Amino acid sequence: MAKTGDVASTTGAEELAPEVAAKEARLRAIIGGRGSVLVAYSGGVDSALLLKVTTEELGAQAVGALATSEAYD
């Protein structure tokens, strides 16, 4: 998987545009500076990517959480 400064995408399947690679590197730097993170995972693409990158950077110090409520019914 890509780490800060790499150009490869988080999927490893293709290269990212320089602007996108820079944003990914910044995200990884922000996450890597945390001791632990709880990601509120909604099931969408955005939160899935955030959870993936967070677990790559922090390992077991990253946790994803789903919530359920009668309000969702």
Side-chain angles (χ1 to χ4, degrees), residues 36-60:
S36 61
V37 173
L38 171 66
V39 176
Y41 174 66
S42 69
V45 174
D46 295 344
S47 63
L49 176 63
L50 183 59
L51 182 56
K52 180 182 187 315
V53 172
T54 302
T55 57
E56 287 176 357
E57 292 298 315
L58 299 177

Side-chain angles (χ1 to χ4, degrees), residues 5-32:
D6 288 351
V7 177
S9 72
T10 56
T11 64
E14 57 191 54
E15 287 193 7
L16 297 174
E19 308 84 41
V20 177
K23 288 179 182 181
E24 180 183 353
R26 183 167 184 257
L27 174 62
R28 289 180 181 279
I30 291 168
I31 292 169

